Coordinates of all heavy atoms in Angstrom, one line a residue:
Y985 N 13.4 -102.1 230.7 CA 13.8 -101.9 232.1 C 12.6 -101.2 232.8 O 11.9 -100.4 232.3 CB 14.9 -100.8 232.2 CG 16.3 -101.4 232.0 CD1 17.2 -100.8 231.4 CD2 16.6 -102.6 232.7 CE1 18.6 -101.2 231.2 CE2 18.0 -103.1 232.6 CZ 18.9 -102.4 231.9 OH 20.1 -103.0 231.8
L986 N 12.5 -101.6 234.1 CA 11.5 -100.9 235.0 C 12.3 -99.6 235.4 O 13.5 -99.5 235.4 CB 11.2 -101.8 236.2 CG 10.5 -103.1 235.9 CD1 10.4 -103.9 237.2 CD2 9.2 -102.9 235.4
E987 N 11.5 -98.6 235.9 CA 12.0 -97.3 236.2 C 13.0 -97.5 237.3 O 14.1 -96.9 237.4 CB 10.9 -96.4 236.6 CG 11.5 -95.0 236.9 CD 10.3 -94.0 237.2 OE1 9.2 -94.1 236.6 OE2 10.6 -93.0 238.0
Q988 N 12.6 -98.4 238.3 CA 13.5 -98.6 239.4 C 14.9 -99.2 239.0 O 15.9 -99.0 239.6 CB 12.8 -99.5 240.5 CG 12.5 -100.9 240.0 CD 11.5 -101.5 240.9 OE1 10.6 -100.8 241.4 NE2 11.5 -102.8 241.0
D989 N 14.8 -100.1 238.0 CA 16.1 -100.6 237.5 C 16.9 -99.6 236.9 O 18.2 -99.7 237.0 CB 15.8 -101.8 236.4 CG 15.2 -103.0 237.1 OD1 15.4 -103.2 238.3 OD2 14.5 -103.7 236.4
I990 N 16.4 -98.7 236.2 CA 17.1 -97.7 235.5 C 17.9 -96.8 236.6 O 19.0 -96.4 236.5 CB 16.3 -96.7 234.6 CG1 15.8 -97.6 233.4 CG2 17.0 -95.4 234.1 CD1 14.8 -96.9 232.5
D991 N 17.1 -96.5 237.7 CA 17.6 -95.6 238.8 C 18.8 -96.4 239.3 O 19.9 -95.7 239.6 CB 16.5 -95.4 239.8 CG 15.5 -94.3 239.4 OD1 15.7 -93.7 238.4 OD2 14.5 -94.3 240.1
K992 N 18.7 -97.7 239.5 CA 19.9 -98.5 240.1 C 21.0 -98.5 239.1 O 22.2 -98.3 239.6 CB 19.4 -100.0 240.4 CG 18.5 -100.0 241.6 CD 18.2 -101.4 242.0 CE 17.0 -102.0 241.2 NZ 16.6 -103.2 241.6
E993 N 20.8 -98.5 237.9 CA 21.9 -98.5 236.9 C 22.6 -97.1 236.9 O 23.8 -97.0 236.8 CB 21.4 -98.9 235.5 CG 21.0 -100.3 235.3 CD 22.1 -101.3 235.6 OE1 23.2 -101.0 235.2 OE2 21.9 -102.3 236.3
I994 N 21.7 -96.1 237.0 CA 22.3 -94.7 237.1 C 23.2 -94.6 238.3 O 24.3 -94.0 238.3 CB 21.2 -93.7 237.1 CG1 20.4 -93.6 235.8 CG2 21.6 -92.2 237.5 CD1 19.2 -92.9 235.7
L995 N 22.7 -95.1 239.4 CA 23.5 -95.0 240.7 C 24.9 -95.8 240.5 O 25.9 -95.3 240.9 CB 22.8 -95.6 241.9 CG 21.6 -94.7 242.3 CD1 20.7 -95.5 243.4 CD2 22.1 -93.4 242.9
R996 N 24.8 -97.0 239.8 CA 26.0 -97.8 239.6 C 27.0 -97.0 238.8 O 28.2 -97.0 238.8 CB 25.7 -99.1 239.2 CG 25.1 -100.0 240.1 CD 24.9 -101.4 239.6 NE 24.3 -102.3 240.7 CZ 23.0 -102.5 240.6 NH1 22.2 -102.3 239.6 NH2 22.6 -103.4 241.6
A997 N 26.4 -96.4 237.8 CA 27.3 -95.5 236.8 C 27.9 -94.3 237.5 O 29.2 -94.1 237.3 CB 26.4 -95.0 235.6
G998 N 27.2 -93.8 238.4 CA 27.7 -92.8 239.3 C 28.9 -93.3 240.2 O 29.9 -92.6 240.3
M999 N 28.7 -94.4 240.7 CA 29.7 -95.0 241.6 C 31.0 -95.3 240.8 O 32.1 -95.1 241.2 CB 29.2 -96.4 242.1 CG 28.1 -96.2 243.2 SD 27.3 -97.7 243.8 CE 28.7 -98.3 244.8
I1000 N 30.8 -95.8 239.6 CA 31.9 -96.0 238.7 C 32.7 -94.8 238.4 O 34.0 -94.8 238.5 CB 31.5 -96.8 237.4 CG1 31.0 -98.3 237.7 CG2 32.7 -96.8 236.4 CD1 30.3 -98.8 236.5
A1001 N 32.0 -93.8 238.1 CA 32.6 -92.5 237.8 C 33.4 -91.9 239.0 O 34.5 -91.4 238.8 CB 31.6 -91.4 237.4
E1002 N 32.8 -92.1 240.2 CA 33.6 -91.6 241.4 C 34.9 -92.4 241.6 O 35.8 -92.1 242.0 CB 32.6 -91.6 242.6 CG 31.5 -90.7 242.5 CD 31.8 -89.3 242.3 OE1 32.9 -88.8 242.7 OE2 31.0 -88.5 241.9
L1003 N 34.7 -93.7 241.5 CA 35.9 -94.6 241.7 C 37.0 -94.3 240.7 O 38.2 -94.2 241.1 CB 35.5 -96.1 241.4 CG 34.8 -96.7 242.6 CD1 34.3 -98.2 242.2 CD2 35.7 -96.9 243.9
D1004 N 36.6 -93.9 239.5 CA 37.6 -93.6 238.4 C 38.2 -92.2 238.8 O 39.4 -92.0 238.7 CB 37.0 -93.4 237.1 CG 36.6 -94.8 236.4 OD1 37.2 -95.7 236.8 OD2 35.8 -94.7 235.4
A1005 N 37.4 -91.3 239.4 CA 37.9 -90.0 239.8 C 38.9 -90.2 241.0 O 40.0 -89.6 241.0 CB 36.8 -89.1 240.2
V1006 N 38.5 -91.1 241.9 CA 39.5 -91.3 243.1 C 40.7 -91.8 242.6 O 41.8 -91.3 243.0 CB 38.9 -92.3 244.1 CG1 39.8 -92.7 245.1 CG2 37.6 -91.6 244.9
S1007 N 40.8 -92.7 241.7 CA 42.1 -93.3 241.2 C 42.8 -92.2 240.4 O 44.0 -92.2 240.6 CB 41.7 -94.5 240.2 OG 41.1 -95.5 241.0
L1008 N 42.2 -91.5 239.6 CA 42.8 -90.4 238.8 C 43.5 -89.4 239.8 O 44.7 -89.1 239.7 CB 41.9 -89.7 237.9 CG 42.5 -88.5 237.2 CD1 43.6 -88.9 236.3 CD2 41.4 -87.7 236.5
Y1009 N 42.8 -88.9 240.8 CA 43.3 -87.9 241.7 C 44.4 -88.5 242.6 O 45.4 -87.6 242.8 CB 42.2 -87.3 242.5 CG 41.1 -86.5 241.6 CD1 39.8 -86.6 241.9 CD2 41.6 -85.7 240.6 CE1 38.9 -85.9 241.1 CE2 40.6 -85.0 239.8 CZ 39.3 -85.1 240.0 OH 38.4 -84.3 239.3
E1010 N 44.2 -89.6 242.9 CA 45.3 -90.2 243.8 C 46.6 -90.4 242.9 O 47.7 -90.3 243.5 CB 44.9 -91.5 244.5 CG 43.9 -91.2 245.6 CD 43.4 -92.4 246.4 OE1 43.6 -93.6 245.9 OE2 42.8 -92.3 247.5
Q1011 N 46.4 -90.8 241.8 CA 47.6 -90.9 240.8 C 48.3 -89.7 240.5 O 49.5 -89.5 240.6 CB 47.2 -91.6 239.5 CG 46.8 -93.1 239.7 CD 46.2 -93.6 238.3 OE1 46.4 -93.1 237.3 NE2 45.5 -94.8 238.5
L1012 N 47.5 -88.6 240.3 CA 47.9 -87.3 240.1 C 48.7 -86.8 241.3 O 49.8 -86.2 241.2 CB 47.0 -86.3 239.6 CG 46.3 -86.7 238.2 CD1 45.1 -85.8 238.0 CD2 47.3 -86.6 237.1
A1013 N 48.2 -87.1 242.4 CA 48.8 -86.7 243.7 C 50.1 -87.3 244.0 O 51.1 -86.7 244.3 CB 48.0 -87.0 244.9
A1014 N 50.2 -88.6 243.5 CA 51.5 -89.4 243.7 C 52.5 -88.9 242.7 O 53.8 -88.8 243.0 CB 51.2 -90.9 243.4
M1015 N 52.2 -88.3 241.6 CA 53.2 -87.7 240.6 C 53.5 -86.3 240.9 O 54.6 -85.8 240.4 CB 52.5 -87.8 239.2 CG 52.3 -89.3 238.7 SD 51.8 -89.4 237.0 CE 50.3 -88.5 237.0
A1016 N 52.6 -85.6 241.6 CA 52.9 -84.1 241.8 C 54.2 -84.0 242.6 O 54.4 -84.6 243.7 CB 51.7 -83.5 242.6
K1017 N 55.0 -83.0 242.1 CA 56.2 -82.6 242.8 C 55.9 -81.5 244.0 O 56.5 -81.6 245.0 CB 57.1 -81.9 241.8 CG 57.4 -82.8 240.6 CD 58.6 -83.7 240.8 CE 59.0 -84.5 239.6 NZ 58.7 -85.8 239.6
N1018 N 54.9 -80.6 243.8 CA 54.7 -79.7 244.7 C 53.7 -80.2 245.8 O 52.6 -80.8 245.4 CB 53.9 -78.5 243.9 CG 53.6 -77.4 244.9 OD1 52.5 -77.4 245.5 ND2 54.3 -76.2 244.8
S1019 N 54.0 -79.9 247.1 CA 53.3 -80.5 248.2 C 51.9 -79.8 248.3 O 50.9 -80.6 248.6 CB 54.0 -80.2 249.4 OG 54.2 -78.9 249.8
D1020 N 51.7 -78.7 247.8 CA 50.2 -78.0 247.9 C 49.5 -78.7 246.8 O 48.3 -79.0 247.1 CB 50.4 -76.6 247.6 CG 50.9 -75.7 248.7 OD1 50.8 -76.4 249.9 OD2 51.4 -74.7 248.6
I1021 N 49.9 -78.9 245.6 CA 49.2 -79.6 244.5 C 48.9 -81.1 245.0 O 47.6 -81.5 244.8 CB 50.0 -79.6 243.2 CG1 50.1 -78.1 242.8 CG2 49.3 -80.5 242.2 CD1 51.1 -78.0 241.5
K1022 N 49.8 -81.8 245.5 CA 49.6 -83.1 246.2 C 48.5 -83.1 247.1 O 47.5 -83.9 247.0 CB 50.9 -83.7 246.7 CG 50.8 -85.1 247.3 CD 52.1 -85.5 247.9 CE 53.2 -85.6 247.0 NZ 53.2 -86.8 246.1
K1023 N 48.5 -82.1 248.0 CA 47.6 -82.0 249.1 C 46.2 -81.8 248.6 O 45.1 -82.4 248.9 CB 48.0 -80.8 250.0 CG 47.0 -80.6 251.1 CD 47.6 -79.4 252.0 CE 46.6 -79.1 253.1 NZ 47.1 -77.9 253.9
I1024 N 46.0 -80.9 247.5 CA 44.7 -80.5 246.9 C 44.2 -81.8 246.3 O 43.0 -82.1 246.4 CB 44.9 -79.4 246.0 CG1 45.2 -78.1 246.8 CG2 43.6 -79.2 245.2 CD1 44.2 -77.8 247.9
F1025 N 45.0 -82.5 245.5 CA 44.5 -83.7 244.8 C 44.0 -84.8 245.8 O 43.0 -85.4 245.6 CB 45.5 -84.3 243.8 CG 45.5 -83.7 242.5 CD1 46.6 -82.9 242.0 CD2 44.4 -83.8 241.7 CE1 46.6 -82.3 240.8 CE2 44.4 -83.1 240.4 CZ 45.4 -82.5 240.0
L1026 N 44.7 -84.9 246.9 CA 44.3 -85.9 247.9 C 43.0 -85.4 248.6 O 42.2 -86.3 248.9 CB 45.4 -86.2 249.0 CG 46.6 -86.9 248.4 CD1 47.7 -86.9 249.5 CD2 46.2 -88.3 247.9
D1027 N 42.8 -84.2 248.7 CA 41.7 -83.7 249.4 C 40.4 -83.9 248.4 O 39.4 -84.3 248.8 CB 41.8 -82.2 249.7 CG 40.5 -81.6 250.4 OD1 40.1 -82.1 251.4 OD2 39.8 -80.8 249.7
I1028 N 40.7 -83.6 247.1 CA 39.5 -83.9 246.2 C 39.2 -85.3 246.1 O 38.0 -85.6 246.0 CB 39.9 -83.3 244.8 CG1 40.0 -81.7 244.9 CG2 39.0 -83.7 243.7 CD1 40.6 -81.0 243.6
A1029 N 40.3 -86.2 246.1 CA 40.0 -87.7 246.1 C 39.1 -88.0 247.2 O 38.2 -88.9 247.2 CB 41.3 -88.4 246.1
K1030 N 39.4 -87.5 248.4 CA 38.7 -87.7 249.6 C 37.2 -87.4 249.4 O 36.3 -88.1 249.8 CB 39.2 -87.1 250.8 CG 38.5 -87.4 252.1 CD 39.2 -86.7 253.3 CE 38.5 -87.0 254.6 NZ 39.1 -86.3 255.7
E1031 N 36.9 -86.2 248.8 CA 35.6 -85.8 248.5 C 34.9 -86.7 247.6 O 33.7 -87.0 247.8 CB 35.6 -84.3 247.8 CG 36.0 -83.3 248.8 CD 36.2 -81.9 248.2 OE1 35.7 -81.8 247.1 OE2 36.9 -81.1 248.8
E1032 N 35.6 -87.3 246.5 CA 35.0 -88.2 245.7 C 34.6 -89.5 246.4 O 33.6 -90.2 246.1 CB 35.9 -88.5 244.5 CG 36.5 -87.3 243.7 CD 35.3 -86.5 243.1 OE1 34.1 -87.0 242.9 OE2 35.5 -85.3 242.9
K1033 N 35.4 -89.9 247.4 CA 35.1 -91.1 248.2 C 33.7 -90.8 248.9 O 32.9 -91.7 249.1 CB 36.2 -91.4 249.2 CG 37.5 -91.9 248.5 CD 38.5 -92.2 249.5 CE 39.8 -92.7 248.7 NZ 40.9 -92.8 249.7
T1034 N 33.5 -89.6 249.4 CA 32.2 -89.3 250.1 C 31.1 -89.3 249.0 O 30.1 -89.9 249.4 CB 32.3 -87.8 250.6 OG1 33.3 -87.6 251.6 CG2 30.9 -87.4 251.2
H1035 N 31.4 -88.8 247.8 CA 30.3 -89.0 246.8 C 30.0 -90.5 246.5 O 28.8 -90.9 246.4 CB 30.7 -88.4 245.5 CG 31.1 -86.9 245.6 ND1 31.7 -86.2 244.7 CD2 30.6 -86.0 246.4 CE1 31.9 -84.9 245.1 NE2 31.2 -84.7 246.2
L1036 N 31.1 -91.3 246.6 CA 30.9 -92.7 246.3 C 30.0 -93.3 247.4 O 29.2 -94.1 247.2 CB 32.2 -93.4 246.2 CG 32.2 -94.9 246.1 CD1 31.5 -95.4 244.9 CD2 33.6 -95.5 246.2
G1037 N 30.2 -92.8 248.6 CA 29.4 -93.3 249.8 C 28.0 -93.0 249.7 O 27.1 -93.7 250.1
E1038 N 27.8 -91.7 249.1 CA 26.4 -91.3 248.9 C 25.7 -92.1 247.9 O 24.6 -92.6 248.1 CB 26.4 -89.8 248.5 CG 26.8 -88.9 249.6 CD 27.1 -87.4 249.1 OE1 27.3 -87.2 247.9 OE2 27.0 -86.6 250.0
F1039 N 26.3 -92.4 246.8 CA 25.8 -93.2 245.8 C 25.5 -94.7 246.3 O 24.5 -95.3 246.1 CB 26.6 -93.3 244.5 CG 26.6 -92.1 243.7 CD1 27.7 -91.6 243.1 CD2 25.4 -91.4 243.4 CE1 27.7 -90.4 242.3 CE2 25.3 -90.2 242.7 CZ 26.6 -89.7 242.1
E1040 N 26.5 -95.1 246.9 CA 26.4 -96.5 247.6 C 25.1 -96.6 248.5 O 24.4 -97.5 248.5 CB 27.6 -96.9 248.3 CG 27.5 -98.3 248.8 CD 28.9 -98.8 249.5 OE1 29.3 -98.0 250.3 OE2 29.4 -99.7 249.1
A1041 N 25.1 -95.6 249.4 CA 23.9 -95.6 250.4 C 22.6 -95.7 249.7 O 21.7 -96.3 250.2 CB 24.1 -94.4 251.3
L1042 N 22.4 -94.9 248.6 CA 21.2 -94.9 247.9 C 21.0 -96.2 247.3 O 19.8 -96.7 247.2 CB 21.3 -93.7 246.8 CG 20.9 -92.3 247.2 CD1 21.1 -91.3 246.1 CD2 19.5 -92.2 247.6
L1043 N 22.0 -96.7 246.6 CA 21.9 -98.1 246.0 C 21.4 -99.1 246.8 O 20.5 -99.8 246.6 CB 23.1 -98.5 245.3 CG 23.1 -99.8 244.5 CD1 22.1 -99.7 243.4 CD2 24.6 -100.2 244.0
L1044 N 22.0 -99.1 248.0 CA 21.7 -100.2 249.0 C 20.3 -99.9 249.6 O 19.6 -100.9 250.0 CB 22.7 -100.1 250.2 CG 24.1 -100.5 249.9 CD1 25.0 -100.4 251.0 CD2 24.2 -101.9 249.3
K1045 N 19.8 -98.7 249.6 CA 18.4 -98.4 250.0 C 17.3 -98.9 248.9 O 16.3 -99.3 249.4 CB 18.3 -96.9 250.1 CG 16.8 -96.4 250.6 CD 16.9 -94.9 250.8 CE 15.5 -94.5 251.1 NZ 15.4 -93.0 251.5
F1046 N 17.7 -98.7 247.7 CA 16.8 -99.1 246.6 C 16.9 -100.5 246.1 O 16.1 -101.1 245.4 CB 16.9 -98.1 245.5 CG 16.4 -96.7 245.9 CD1 17.3 -95.7 245.9 CD2 15.1 -96.4 246.3 CE1 16.8 -94.4 246.2 CE2 14.7 -95.3 246.7 CZ 15.6 -94.2 246.6
D1047 N 18.1 -101.2 246.4 CA 18.4 -102.5 245.9 C 18.5 -103.4 247.0 O 19.7 -103.6 247.5 CB 19.6 -102.5 244.8 CG 19.8 -103.9 244.1 OD1 19.3 -104.9 244.6 OD2 20.4 -103.8 243.1
K1048 N 17.5 -104.1 247.5 CA 17.6 -104.8 248.7 C 18.4 -106.1 248.5 O 19.2 -106.6 249.3 CB 16.2 -105.3 249.1 CG 15.3 -104.2 249.6 CD 16.0 -103.2 250.6 CE 15.1 -102.0 250.9 NZ 15.8 -101.1 251.7
E1049 N 18.5 -106.7 247.2 CA 19.4 -107.8 246.9 C 20.8 -107.4 247.0 O 21.7 -108.1 247.6 CB 19.1 -108.3 245.5 CG 20.0 -109.5 245.1 CD 19.8 -109.9 243.8 OE1 19.7 -109.2 242.8 OE2 19.6 -111.2 243.6
Q1050 N 21.1 -106.2 246.5 CA 22.6 -105.6 246.6 C 22.9 -105.5 248.1 O 24.0 -105.8 248.5 CB 22.6 -104.3 245.8 CG 24.0 -103.7 245.9 CD 25.1 -104.5 244.9 OE1 24.8 -104.6 243.8 NE2 26.1 -105.0 245.6
A1051 N 22.0 -105.0 248.8 CA 22.2 -104.7 250.3 C 22.5 -106.0 251.0 O 23.5 -106.2 251.8 CB 21.1 -104.0 251.0
A1052 N 21.8 -107.1 250.7 CA 22.0 -108.3 251.3 C 23.3 -108.9 250.9 O 24.1 -109.5 251.8 CB 20.9 -109.3 251.0
E1053 N 23.7 -108.8 249.7 CA 24.9 -109.3 249.1 C 26.1 -108.6 249.6 O 27.2 -109.2 249.9 CB 24.9 -109.4 247.6 CG 24.0 -110.4 247.1 CD 24.2 -111.9 247.6 OE1 25.3 -112.3 247.6 OE2 23.1 -112.5 247.7
F1054 N 26.0 -107.3 249.9 CA 27.1 -106.4 250.5 C 27.3 -106.9 251.8 O 28.5 -107.1 252.2 CB 26.5 -105.0 250.5 CG 27.5 -104.1 251.1 CD1 28.5 -103.5 250.4 CD2 27.4 -103.7 252.5 CE1 29.4 -102.6 251.0 CE2 28.3 -102.9 253.0 CZ 29.3 -102.3 252.3
E1055 N 26.3 -107.2 252.7 CA 26.5 -107.6 254.0 C 27.0 -109.1 254.1 O 27.9 -109.3 254.8 CB 25.1 -107.7 254.8 CG 24.7 -106.3 255.1 CD 25.6 -105.5 255.9 OE1 26.2 -106.1 256.9 OE2 25.8 -104.2 255.7
A1056 N 26.7 -109.9 253.1 CA 27.2 -111.2 253.1 C 28.7 -111.3 252.7 O 29.5 -111.9 253.2 CB 26.4 -112.1 251.9
G1057 N 29.1 -110.3 251.8 CA 30.5 -110.2 251.5 C 31.3 -109.7 252.5 O 32.4 -110.1 252.8
K1058 N 30.7 -108.7 253.2 CA 31.4 -108.0 254.4 C 31.7 -109.1 255.5 O 32.7 -109.3 256.1 CB 30.5 -107.0 255.0 CG 31.2 -106.1 256.0 CD 30.2 -105.0 256.5 CE 30.7 -104.3 257.7 NZ 29.8 -103.3 258.2
K1059 N 30.7 -110.0 255.7 CA 30.7 -111.0 256.7 C 31.8 -112.1 256.2 O 32.6 -112.6 257.1 CB 29.4 -111.7 256.9 CG 29.4 -112.7 258.0 CD 28.1 -113.3 258.2 CE 28.1 -114.4 259.3 NZ 26.8 -115.1 259.5
E1060 N 31.8 -112.4 255.0 CA 32.8 -113.4 254.5 C 34.2 -112.8 254.7 O 35.2 -113.6 255.1 CB 32.5 -113.7 253.0 CG 33.3 -114.9 252.4 CD 32.9 -115.2 251.1 OE1 31.7 -115.2 250.8 OE2 33.7 -115.5 250.3
I1061 N 34.5 -111.6 254.3 CA 35.8 -111.0 254.5 C 36.2 -111.0 255.9 O 37.3 -111.3 256.3 CB 35.8 -109.6 253.9 CG1 35.7 -109.6 252.4 CG2 37.1 -108.9 254.4 CD1 36.8 -110.4 251.7
E1062 N 35.3 -110.7 256.9 CA 35.6 -110.7 258.3 C 36.0 -112.1 258.7 O 36.9 -112.3 259.5 CB 34.4 -110.2 259.1 CG 34.2 -108.7 259.0 CD 32.8 -108.1 259.6 OE1 32.0 -109.0 260.1 OE2 32.6 -107.1 259.5
E1063 N 35.2 -113.1 258.3 CA 35.6 -114.5 258.6 C 36.9 -114.9 258.1 O 37.7 -115.6 258.8 CB 34.6 -115.4 258.2 CG 33.2 -115.3 258.9 CD 32.1 -116.1 258.3 OE1 32.3 -116.7 257.1 OE2 30.9 -116.0 258.8
L1064 N 37.3 -114.5 256.9 CA 38.5 -114.9 256.2 C 39.7 -114.2 256.7 O 40.9 -114.7 256.6 CB 38.4 -114.8 254.7 CG 37.4 -115.6 253.9 CD1 37.2 -115.1 252.5 CD2 37.9 -117.1 254.1
T1065 N 39.5 -113.0 257.4 CA 40.6 -112.2 257.7 C 40.9 -112.1 259.3 O 41.6 -111.3 259.8 CB 40.5 -110.9 257.1 OG1 39.3 -110.2 257.6 CG2 40.6 -110.8 255.7
E1066 N 40.1 -112.9 260.0 CA 40.3 -113.0 261.4 C 41.5 -113.7 261.9 O 42.0 -114.6 261.2 CB 39.1 -113.5 262.2 CG 37.8 -112.6 262.0 CD 36.6 -113.2 262.7 OE1 36.6 -114.4 263.1 OE2 35.7 -112.5 263.0

């Protein structure tokens, strides 16, 4: 691997971890009986989404192919859902 490829893989691993955390916290919130506990888990899940966005922004900055494909996918969804 080139150093830049390792960095992209690290960013993707971070994104996967954040997605897993969002899913876990949202599932725990759904199961919580206490409204304060539910509220805290949902707040933490929201923070993890911010972290995901940070990793994604970095990945798109360093992986131009990923950035182009991201935009292509976004455009395709817009066309299919209009």
Side-chain angles (χ1 to χ4, degrees):
Y985 276 138
L986 298 173
E987 185 174 331
Q988 64 199 32
D989 292 333
I990 292 169
D991 287 344
K992 288 185 271 188
E993 291 301 319
I994 289 168
L995 290 169
R996 288 188 181 102
M999 291 172 73
I1000 291 166
E1002 296 299 341
L1003 284 169
D1004 285 343
V1006 169
S1007 293
L1008 173 64
Y1009 295 141
E1010 287 183 347
Q1011 288 172 18
L1012 293 172
M1015 293 186 302
K1017 307 267 189 256
N1018 180 284
S1019 63
D1020 287 336
I1021 292 171
K1022 182 183 293 283
K1023 181 179 175 181
I1024 295 302
F1025 273 116
L1026 290 175
D1027 183 63
I1028 293 170
K1030 185 177 177 184
E1031 291 174 15
E1032 301 306 333
K1033 290 176 183 180
T1034 300
H1035 299 160
L1036 175 63
E1038 291 170 334
F1039 287 138
E1040 182 180 52
L1042 276 171
L1043 180 62
L1044 295 176
K1045 180 178 179 178
F1046 294 116
D1047 187 338
K1048 297 306 178 192
E1049 180 181 49
Q1050 182 72 58
E1053 294 302 321
F1054 178 87
E1055 289 302 320
K1058 185 176 173 182
K1059 184 176 180 182
E1060 188 171 325
I1061 291 300
E1062 289 171 358
E1063 290 171 357
L1064 291 171
T1065 59
E1066 286 182 349

